[in-house]
Amino acid sequence: MQTTTLSFSNLHNHGELFAKLFRARKQSFIVQKNWDLPEAEDMEFDQYDTPQSRWVAVHDKGEVLAGFRLTPTTARCGIYSYMIRDAQKGILGGSIPQDLLYGEAPVDDQVWECSRVFVSHDIPQMYRRKVHFKMVEAMTGSARDLGAMRLIALTGASWPRWYGRCGLEAEAIGRVMWIDDANFQCVSINLTAKMH
């Protein structure tokens, strides 16, 4: 099992992996969760998939097992910045509540947003924890390499149960909200803490 951090500048080195990651996102978010998201050529994408972001794929023998996107909170593309901030500003049309954060959404070189986090539904239960650990390792490692001291994410409200097990130090930065089919909450992950 390996992890690869993809960017627009290194895509040519990774063949089909980028497309496979976006196909796996479609499977996870559109097929499994039934979210209403843009898709083309069997891939899910949105306005935050720009050269400012990075994508991390956890993969094995050509199959994408899990993945996520990292976007700097300083990102700008037209009217968009990053998902949590745009939701707070009301730009996303109400799919995510505007009062999702206790304070102002950060715009800081050292804070990145982690979004579109998924683990393939095909992975057997006994193997999932291993994939989760690999994903957390890749998330913290890639974010640190990009200069991040902190990650923010809109994640499942059950995060306190598994973040600690994965060695993450995090705190809630917003209320618990029902979105689509589950409870979610914004969290801040401290990347300067030592991994347990």
Side-chain angles (χ1 to χ4, degrees):
M1 190 176 10
Q2 59 190 123
T3 59
T4 303
T5 301
L6 297 158
S7 68
F8 272 60
S9 25
N10 73 8
L11 288 187
H12 61 284
N13 297 325
H14 298 289
E16 270 286 284
L17 188 59
F18 195 63
K20 283 183 175 182
L21 178 68
F22 281 68
R23 285 187 202 114
R25 273 178 37 175
K26 180 192 171 188
Q27 182 62 37
S28 185
F29 298 114
I30 296 175
V31 176
Q32 296 298 124
K33 296 187 180 207
N34 204 25
W35 289 3
D36 181 19
L37 298 169
E39 62 175 296
E41 297 184 21
D42 206 28
M43 294 180 263
E44 180 271 315
F45 65 94
D46 68 17
Q47 64 270 36
Y48 306 109
D49 293 308
T50 75
Q52 298 170 95
S53 290
R54 299 292 180 271
W55 301 265
V56 179
V58 178
H59 53 105
D60 194 32
K61 299 179 183 79
E63 291 308 307
V64 172
L65 308 176
F68 55 90
R69 175 179 59 207
L70 297 172
T71 304
T73 59
T74 54
R76 273 269 176 281
C77 186
I79 63 166
Y80 299 106
S81 58
Y82 64 94
M83 192 182 66
I84 289 173
R85 184 167 186 260
D86 291 348
Q88 187 178 56
K89 292 192 167 302
I91 295 171
L92 300 184
S95 52
I96 301 171
Q98 277 185 255
D99 64 344
L100 75 167
L101 293 172
Y102 295 138
E104 190 80 14
V107 176
D108 182 329
D109 286 336
Q110 297 184 328
V111 181
W112 285 58
E113 177 186 59
C114 183
S115 58
R116 285 298 191 270
V117 180
F118 72 91
V119 175
S120 169
H121 71 289
D122 292 337
I123 297 171
Q125 199 58 45
M126 60 184 222
Y127 197 49
R128 289 180 91 78
R129 182 172 268 194
K130 198 173 183 180
V131 173
H132 276 131
F133 276 105
K134 195 74 173 168
M135 193 163 64
V136 166
E137 193 179 88
M139 179 178 70
T140 54
S142 293
R144 284 189 189 110
D145 289 349
L146 293 163
M149 307 281 270
R150 200 157 63 92
L151 280 175
I152 59 171
L154 176 59
T155 190
S158 63
W159 67 269
R161 278 209 312 267
W162 63 274
Y163 271 38
R165 271 192 296 217
C166 293
L168 290 173
E169 183 185 292
E171 62 178 341
I173 54 171
R175 68 182 181 89
V176 173
M177 306 158 289
W178 182 262
I179 302 172
D180 289 329
D181 57 353
N183 277 315
F184 287 86
Q185 189 170 30
C186 286
V187 298
S188 170
I189 299 164
N190 179 6
L191 296 175
T192 60
K194 291 271 178 271
M195 297 287 284
H196 312 322

